[in-house]
Amino acid sequence: QVQLVESGGGLVQTGGSLRLSCAASGSAFIINTMSWYRQAPGKQRALLATLTGDRITELSDSVRGRFTLSRDNAKNTAYLQMNRLKPDDTAVYYCNVEGLTRELQPFDSWGQGTQVTVSS
């Protein structure tokens, strides 16, 4: 079992910044990808960005130039730094991690989601 705990969401004004964290715990042994998604009210969940190893391999045009990803391998934690936030960024943000457990079984885990609200 691999659990993900997200934190860092909240209410911010337009132009502000937030940093989301996603910590993986449990039997995660090898982490292949760490991704961030978001789901706005009435819309489908959409992929924002993916880290494969230490490289950003996916990045949505909607956040390019404003959001950046990073990870701390020692802490099995991914971060999403969100700058110049807009009201359109209001959504529930989810992290997703894929990899192998210590038993070398593949896993695909989701965080519980964290609300980000950007006021105009």
Side-chain angles (χ1 to χ4, degrees):
Q1 287 278 11
V2 176
Q3 296 82 37
L4 303 182
V5 177
E6 298 179 35
S7 60
L11 173 65
V12 66
Q13 291 186 332
T14 295
S17 299
L18 285 174
R19 189 176 80 154
L20 305 183
S21 299
C22 174
S25 64
S27 60
F29 180 58
I30 295 174
I31 292 178
N32 293 323
T33 62
M34 305 183 89
S35 301
W36 288 95
Y37 291 73
R38 69 184 178 188
Q39 187 167 17
K43 295 186 178 180
Q44 290 188 334
R45 191 173 298 186
L47 174 64
L48 286 180
T50 297
L51 269 177
T52 302
D54 292 327
R55 294 187 304 115
I56 297 176
T57 52
E58 295 285 344
L59 187 62
S60 170
D61 288 341
S62 64
V63 302
R64 191 181 304 274
R66 299 187 299 123
F67 292 10
T68 60
L69 293 85
S70 62
R71 63 186 282 182
D72 183 330
N73 293 325
K75 296 180 179 179
N76 276 346
T77 299
Y79 303 96
L80 181 67
Q81 177 67 44
M82 305 185 295
N83 301 322
R84 292 186 283 136
L85 284 160
K86 308 173 182 178
D88 285 349
D89 295 319
T90 295
V92 178
Y93 285 69
Y94 298 90
C95 66
N96 170 264
V97 176
E98 296 181 9
L100 295 175
T101 67
R102 292 189 177 88
E103 295 76 28
L104 300 182
Q105 295 298 311
F107 71 87
D108 180 352
S109 296
W110 288 87
Q112 80 280 10
T114 186
Q115 177 70 46
V116 171
T117 303
V118 184
S119 63
S120 56

